[in-house]
Amino acid sequence: MNNFIGRRQTRTRIKEALAAEGARDRITVRGWARTVRRGKEVAFIALNDGSCFASLQVVLSPELEHYEAAVRCGTGACLEVEGALVASPAAGQRWEVHARQVRLLGSSDADYPLQKKRHSFDFLRSIAHLRPRANAFGAVFRVRSALSFAIHNFFRERGFLYVHTPIITANDCEGAGEMFRVTTLDASAPPHSEGNIDWSQDFFGDRTGLTVSGQLQGELFASAFSDVYTFGPTFRAENSNTSRHAAEFWMIEPEMAFADLAEDCALAEDFLRYLVTFALQECGEDLVFFNERIEKGLLDKLEALAAAEFQTMSYSEAVQRLEKAGRSFEFPVAWGADLQSEHERYLTEEVVGGPLFVTDYPTDIKAFYMRQNDDGKTVAAMDLLVPRVGEIIGGSQREERLDVLQGKMTACGIDPQHLWWYLDSRRWGSCPHAGFGLGFERLLMYVTGMENIRDVIPFPRTPGNARF
Amino acid sequence: MNNFIGRRQTRTRIKEALAAEGARDRITVRGWARTVRRGKEVAFIALNDGSCFASLQVVLSPELEHYEAAVRCGTGACLEVEGALVASPAAGQRWEVHARQVRLLGSSDADYPLQKKRHSFDFLRSIAHLRPRANAFGAVFRVRSALSFAIHNFFRERGFLYVHTPIITANDCEGAGEMFRVTTLDASAPPHSEGNIDWSQDFFGDRTGLTVSGQLQGELFASAFSDVYTFGPTFRAENSNTSRHAAEFWMIEPEMAFADLAEDCALAEDFLRYLVTFALQECGEDLVFFNERIEKGLLDKLEALAAAEFQTMSYSEAVQRLEKAGRSFEFPVAWGADLQSEHERYLTEEVVGGPLFVTDYPTDIKAFYMRQNDDGKTVAAMDLLVPRVGEIIGGSQREERLDVLQGKMTACGIDPQHLWWYLDSRRWGSCPHAGFGLGFERLLMYVTGMENIRDVIPFPRTPGNARF
């Protein structure tokens, strides 16, 4: 067995080194050189291993063996440094390492694309395989990882079961958007039957695509485990090249048996507050960077949200408020039309000045599975709006009455037979239930201040781009 | 806003009711009737809400309002019960509820497919939308949820970053198996260019498929964050209808910078031990069921694994042991051939009698990215074998030397240009690194004793089946 390294136990993560209680005579760190600079008497290497935002300053004296090779290693080189951890005289860092031994693990030539200078996010997207080594993306992906954990922790603490709903689906009526097709048929010569492509000969014996939501299957699981959630990838084959849309993204969808819309809102409020508080507590160093360099006022915004009282307003009242706003919107306001981003932001930013649930939308602009209210014209739906973003969460109480649900499907042009299994959950042991969806990337954009969804996904998939 | 339920705060989960410290005068539970039986003087409903394996016995006296309706609600009906939690005279349960009020939330007719009797797993697969309400599947999916959390917890405690690697990929050379195609082209009339399908007109401007592994992208992230892991869905378009293969499954793939094969094995050992110990501690009631009804001796097996010393043996030694085994295998044993399941089981069950890492396999039978050993004929790969299953984890140290990696790709018929971004990670700041993959469903089969992969996935996708 190869033993090239074989001394992992001795490695100290830079995060731990920087948080040391006291000086240490002997420490070994490994990481990548963010900068290398030669001073008058000694040289300095800023070493980063991704465990935290900050780099560790390594001080190299010319007496060091291989000194010249070390200071010529180049930005981006991978190094192992053994030395003493001592108090640093430099501002902004408590500790530095005085190297006794430096080993070059992987060199980096001058053509390394991530030289120390400001790069546009656009350029960095073109080197998405290297951008995790840039400050902003190190911070983004640490926050992404921390919040992923927070999501699981939130639901586990509350007794929710995590369910992996399927990615490949034969349902083309989930209703949330255009679908990608998944196939193994020979594209040049697909089998035909009566003039049409014979999907029964495809891998799954049916025409299949990538899921746009795990909700319907989540509802089935809620009918057995009471409280469940999904957290997985979802897909939209929409040809929209905006900063807020990606073809592949991750979504969180809780579903609660025995819950009505008020309880759905209560869960969404607890959830969002928990996630933002978690980020403030666990990702402080990264958020300080975002606050300084990406969105001024970010920390204030997040702290305000964590402390805010969430308001509730019906759609009908929201429309009245918008009609009385005394300003001209780009899109007209009228009962029955969906709220646009400008309307949502006006409501959350100017009318209530904080997070706002808008509830009970017109039946005609919402999905077939939402519960019909007694007024006959609205459904028990909710959108959570937050300042600077607009909608961040959307949910509803689900229609649990078999006959009403069948009627709504038919009205929407969905053949109830296609979703026989979904209807079965209303046939035997149906129960009132509710849930919502949160797009994980939208949350990350809110928490980090990053303005393009491509910059909060490790390797974004958008029209014309599935690189890396 | 609809307030049909609106009293969630008063609901007690059955798991909590059954774990109560003392009697309670007033308790509200909600769930599904597993059985309804009329005794001589009172009736009994076993109520289950999925929060735990056990059901709560509800005792109904004929004086109860709506008594007749309640006892006729039918297996599978959804009920709300308000009453007193009192000590139960019945064996095997500490508490029962004496109902004061019963409310039928959702009835269930006699055609409910999940009547109280033994059903074959085969039949239950045909009603995968209802089987979570059956004992075995309730237990399976609670274990699945618990172990998902354990995975995240294990890596978080060790400072690993969680990365979401892409599902849709334009790489057709990941080397782990056949891929599904993802497309939005019109299947009946795809665009052509020079006689071939013009994939540049497809959604992503390229021919794309579903990922078979997140490893290559995981390696890129390890080159920035040192220690990372993926946990997400992966796909194989293989037409194999076995009990161990599914077209869609979840995989965990950690990747560590600065690690060699020995450290990779050490992580795999810690990980598997942690997961099994977690299941024993957190899923005791469900595992007792599996031990009694699914795999006799399961608990002993798991406890043995948690306490076992993991052995290591090179592939070359393993072949020698097999050659000297003095028994005839179905598949011949010879240096250079891959080990078959019968060989793996002989090694782990009979040669060492416990978990075994087999390391340093012949170069020719392993993937291009595995690190070439100095002997020129083996690579720094490992498979972890466990009794009753054979291989459960496969990993390797990765080839970090640019020239060696390029040579291996060419030898495997992979155009290095197609993976230019992967090679870049060896060009600038390359480092020794290692990782492994664990198929989540294979772990679940091991921990639960379930013998068919279709029975540990909520909605399995296999050739000819993408239902639900």
Side-chain angles (χ1 to χ4, degrees):
Chain A
M1 196 181 302
N2 184 285
N3 275 304
F4 180 56
I5 294 289
R7 291 173 289 140
R8 187 177 184 77
Q9 63 286 358
T10 69
R11 171 184 161 232
T12 301
R13 285 209 177 89
I14 286 172
K15 181 180 184 176
E16 289 149 24
L18 290 172
E21 296 275 316
R24 286 194 212 167
D25 182 49
R26 189 184 196 85
I27 194 171
T28 300
V29 290
R30 300 192 186 109
W32 292 267
R34 284 289 169 87
T35 57
V36 183
R37 110 194 124 74
R38 207 189 275 258
K40 276 186 190 148
E41 297 177 359
V42 291
F44 302 95
I45 294 178
L47 201 69
N48 190 291
D49 68 0
S51 62
C52 61
F53 188 89
S55 298
L56 177 65
Q57 174 155 287
V58 176
V59 184
L60 302 97
S61 120
E63 294 91 66
L64 199 68
E65 198 183 359
H66 312 306
Y67 173 81
E68 279 302 323
V71 297
R72 276 197 226 108
C73 71
T75 301
C78 186
L79 302 165
E80 176 182 87
V81 176
E82 190 268 307
L85 186 75
V86 299
S88 174
Q93 59 191 21
R94 197 169 156 210
W95 302 109
E96 61 187 25
V97 168
H98 291 184
R100 270 192 298 265
Q101 239 184 8
V102 174
R103 194 151 66 107
L104 183 63
L105 300 177
S107 62
S108 183
D109 292 342
D111 59 353
Y112 181 54
L114 213 53
Q115 294 299 327
K116 179 81 185 172
K117 63 165 204 153
R118 270 206 116 140
H119 300 284
S120 73
F121 287 150
D122 218 31
F123 168 72
L124 289 170
R125 264 170 238 144
S126 74
I127 52 165
H129 60 312
L130 299 173
R131 70 176 181 172
R133 303 182 188 180
N135 278 337
F137 292 92
V140 163
F141 296 126
R142 273 188 301 274
V143 173
R144 188 174 173 114
S145 174
L147 286 182
S148 295
F149 185 80
I151 288 161
H152 290 298
N153 214 42
F154 174 86
F155 287 116
R156 181 172 163 85
E157 284 176 355
R158 283 155 187 79
F160 282 59
L161 179 126
Y162 177 36
V163 52
H164 291 131
T165 49
I167 308 302
I168 298 171
T169 175
N171 310 316
D172 54 2
C173 46
E174 289 169 350
E178 289 297 305
M179 291 175 78
F180 288 102
R181 196 163 65 251
V182 172
T183 180
T184 56
L185 291 183
D186 180 351
S188 307
H192 281 74
S193 168
E194 297 177 8
N196 297 314
I197 297 212
D198 183 5
W199 296 108
S200 75
Q201 292 190 47
D202 206 348
F203 188 92
F204 296 105
D206 204 345
R207 189 182 160 102
T208 53
L210 292 176
T211 186
V212 297
S213 161
Q215 181 199 312
L216 303 191
Q217 293 92 349
E219 289 185 53
L220 301 178
F221 265 60
S223 301
F225 298 100
S226 304
D227 296 308
V228 305
Y229 71 105
T230 72
F231 180 23
T234 44
F235 305 85
R236 298 282 189 283
E238 270 145 33
N239 196 5
S240 47
N241 250 313
T242 81
S243 63
R244 292 169 63 80
H245 292 88
E248 176 180 320
F249 57 98
W250 284 62
M251 193 142 72
I252 303 109
E253 297 180 283
E255 192 72 35
M256 295 179 287
F258 317 121
D260 65 10
L261 191 63
E263 291 160 324
D264 202 34
C265 291
L267 184 77
E269 175 177 341
D270 288 351
F271 186 46
L272 190 59
R273 198 191 304 279
Y274 179 93
L275 295 177
V276 167
T277 305
F278 191 97
L280 286 165
Q281 287 171 355
E282 302 272 329
C283 309
E285 191 190 12
D286 291 319
L287 294 190
V288 164
F289 166 82
F290 293 124
N291 190 59
E292 282 169 9
R293 302 287 283 271
I294 304 294
E295 179 184 329
K296 300 278 177 215
L298 176 81
L299 288 172
D300 290 344
K301 177 188 83 174
L302 296 179
E303 275 156 13
L305 187 94
E309 204 175 316
F310 286 48
Q311 309 281 324
T312 301
M313 182 186 291
S314 73
Y315 166 88
S316 297
E317 186 183 343
V319 168
Q320 284 176 8
R321 295 289 192 106
L322 289 163
E323 283 170 343
K324 283 190 228 148
R327 70 165 65 184
S328 70
F329 292 107
E330 188 187 344
F331 293 90
V333 175
W335 200 100
D338 210 353
L339 300 182
Q340 301 296 320
S341 187
E342 57 175 341
H343 307 140
E344 293 175 341
R345 291 193 58 175
Y346 174 78
L347 291 165
T348 180
E349 290 169 9
E350 302 190 40
V351 176
V352 304
L356 172 68
F357 288 104
V358 176
T359 67
D360 302 293
Y361 284 79
T363 304
D364 293 346
I365 59 171
K366 289 290 184 183
F368 72 91
Y369 50 71
M370 298 189 177
R371 191 177 197 277
Q372 190 65 41
N373 284 331
D374 292 343
D375 64 13
K377 56 182 190 170
T378 62
V379 287
M382 63 90 161
D383 280 354
L384 173 57
L385 317 179
V386 292
R388 299 186 72 132
V389 166
E391 187 208 328
I392 191 160
I393 284 177
S396 72
Q397 188 172 340
R398 319 306 188 186
E399 185 53 75
E400 86 281 9
R401 297 162 294 189
L402 180 61
D403 54 339
V404 181
L405 183 56
Q406 282 174 320
K408 289 190 69 175
M409 288 173 73
T410 307
C412 290
I414 297 170
D415 181 353
Q417 295 237 310
H418 281 174
L419 290 178
W420 61 272
W421 48 272
Y422 182 67
L423 289 169
D424 272 3
S425 65
R426 275 66 172 174
R427 208 178 300 279
W428 298 298
S430 184
C431 67
H433 60 289
F436 62 79
L438 166 65
F440 187 42
E441 285 75 14
R442 203 152 284 188
L443 171 76
L444 287 171
M445 291 165 73
Y446 182 75
V447 169
T448 62
M450 299 294 282
E451 290 188 337
N452 194 315
I453 194 169
R454 295 168 178 80
D455 296 331
V456 296
I457 303 181
F459 300 96
R461 271 66 181 109
T462 50
N465 177 34
R467 278 189 294 278
F468 309 106
Chain B
M1 197 179 302
N2 183 285
N3 276 302
F4 180 55
I5 295 288
R7 291 174 290 139
R8 188 177 183 75
Q9 63 286 0
T10 68
R11 171 184 162 232
T12 301
R13 285 210 178 90
I14 287 172
K15 181 180 184 174
E16 289 149 24
L18 289 172
E21 297 275 316
R24 287 194 212 166
D25 183 49
R26 188 185 196 84
I27 193 171
T28 301
V29 290
R30 300 191 186 110
W32 292 267
R34 283 289 170 87
T35 58
V36 183
R37 109 194 124 75
R38 206 188 276 259
K40 276 185 189 149
E41 296 179 359
V42 292
F44 303 96
I45 293 178
L47 201 70
N48 189 291
D49 68 1
S51 62
C52 59
F53 189 89
S55 297
L56 177 65
Q57 174 155 286
V58 176
V59 183
L60 301 98
S61 119
E63 294 90 66
L64 199 68
E65 199 182 0
H66 310 308
Y67 173 81
E68 280 300 324
V71 297
R72 276 197 227 109
C73 70
T75 302
C78 187
L79 302 166
E80 176 182 87
V81 177
E82 191 267 308
L85 186 75
V86 300
S88 174
Q93 58 190 20
R94 197 168 156 209
W95 303 109
E96 61 186 27
V97 167
H98 291 184
R100 269 191 298 265
Q101 238 184 11
V102 174
R103 194 152 65 108
L104 183 62
L105 300 178
S107 62
S108 183
D109 292 341
D111 59 353
Y112 181 54
L114 213 53
Q115 294 299 327
K116 179 80 185 171
K117 62 164 204 153
R118 270 203 115 141
H119 300 283
S120 73
F121 286 151
D122 218 33
F123 167 72
L124 290 169
R125 264 169 236 143
S126 75
I127 52 165
H129 61 309
L130 298 173
R131 70 176 181 172
R133 303 183 188 180
N135 278 337
F137 293 92
V140 162
F141 297 126
R142 274 188 300 273
V143 172
R144 188 174 172 113
S145 173
L147 285 182
S148 295
F149 185 80
I151 288 160
H152 290 298
N153 214 42
F154 174 87
F155 288 115
R156 180 171 164 86
E157 284 177 357
R158 283 156 187 77
F160 282 59
L161 179 127
Y162 179 35
V163 51
H164 290 131
T165 50
I167 308 300
I168 298 170
T169 175
N171 309 315
D172 54 4
C173 47
E174 289 169 350
E178 289 297 305
M179 291 176 77
F180 288 102
R181 196 164 66 251
V182 172
T183 178
T184 56
L185 291 183
D186 180 350
S188 306
H192 281 73
S193 168
E194 299 178 7
N196 297 313
I197 296 208
D198 183 5
W199 297 108
S200 75
Q201 292 190 46
D202 205 349
F203 188 92
F204 295 106
D206 205 344
R207 188 182 161 101
T208 53
L210 292 177
T211 186
V212 296
S213 162
Q215 180 199 312
L216 303 190
Q217 294 93 349
E219 288 185 52
L220 301 178
F221 265 60
S223 301
F225 299 101
S226 304
D227 297 308
V228 306
Y229 71 104
T230 71
F231 181 22
T234 45
F235 305 85
R236 298 282 189 284
E238 271 145 32
N239 196 4
S240 47
N241 249 312
T242 81
S243 63
R244 291 168 66 79
H245 292 88
E248 177 180 319
F249 57 98
W250 284 62
M251 192 144 70
I252 304 108
E253 297 180 283
E255 192 72 35
M256 296 179 287
F258 317 120
D260 64 10
L261 190 63
E263 292 161 323
D264 202 33
C265 291
L267 184 77
E269 176 177 341
D270 288 351
F271 186 45
L272 189 59
R273 198 192 302 281
Y274 180 93
L275 295 177
V276 167
T277 305
F278 191 96
L280 285 166
Q281 287 171 355
E282 302 273 328
C283 309
E285 191 190 12
D286 291 319
L287 294 190
V288 164
F289 166 82
F290 293 124
N291 190 60
E292 283 169 9
R293 302 288 284 272
I294 305 294
E295 179 185 331
K296 299 281 175 211
L298 176 81
L299 289 172
D300 289 344
K301 177 188 83 175
L302 297 178
E303 276 157 14
L305 187 94
E309 204 175 317
F310 285 47
Q311 308 282 323
T312 300
M313 183 186 290
S314 74
Y315 166 88
S316 297
E317 186 185 342
V319 168
Q320 284 177 7
R321 294 290 192 108
L322 290 164
E323 284 171 341
K324 285 191 229 150
R327 70 165 64 186
S328 69
F329 292 107
E330 190 187 342
F331 293 90
V333 176
W335 201 100
D338 211 353
L339 300 183
Q340 301 297 319
S341 185
E342 56 174 342
H343 308 140
E344 293 175 342
R345 291 193 59 175
Y346 173 77
L347 291 166
T348 179
E349 290 170 9
E350 302 191 38
V351 177
V352 303
L356 171 68
F357 287 105
V358 176
T359 67
D360 302 293
Y361 284 78
T363 305
D364 293 346
I365 59 171
K366 288 290 184 182
F368 73 92
Y369 49 73
M370 298 190 179
R371 192 177 197 275
Q372 189 67 41
N373 285 331
D374 293 342
D375 63 14
K377 57 182 189 171
T378 63
V379 288
M382 64 89 161
D383 280 354
L384 173 58
L385 316 180
V386 292
R388 301 186 72 134
V389 166
E391 187 208 325
I392 192 161
I393 284 178
S396 72
Q397 188 172 340
R398 319 305 188 186
E399 185 53 75
E400 86 280 12
R401 296 162 294 189
L402 180 61
D403 53 339
V404 180
L405 183 58
Q406 282 173 320
K408 289 190 69 174
M409 288 173 72
T410 307
C412 290
I414 297 170
D415 182 353
Q417 294 236 313
H418 281 173
L419 289 179
W420 60 271
W421 47 273
Y422 182 67
L423 289 169
D424 272 3
S425 64
R426 275 66 171 174
R427 209 179 299 279
W428 298 298
S430 184
C431 67
H433 59 291
F436 63 78
L438 167 64
F440 188 42
E441 284 76 14
R442 203 152 285 189
L443 172 76
L444 288 171
M445 291 165 73
Y446 182 75
V447 170
T448 62
M450 299 294 281
E451 291 190 336
N452 194 314
I453 194 169
R454 294 167 176 82
D455 296 331
V456 297
I457 303 181
F459 300 96
R461 271 65 179 109
T462 50
N465 177 34
R467 279 188 294 278
F468 309 106

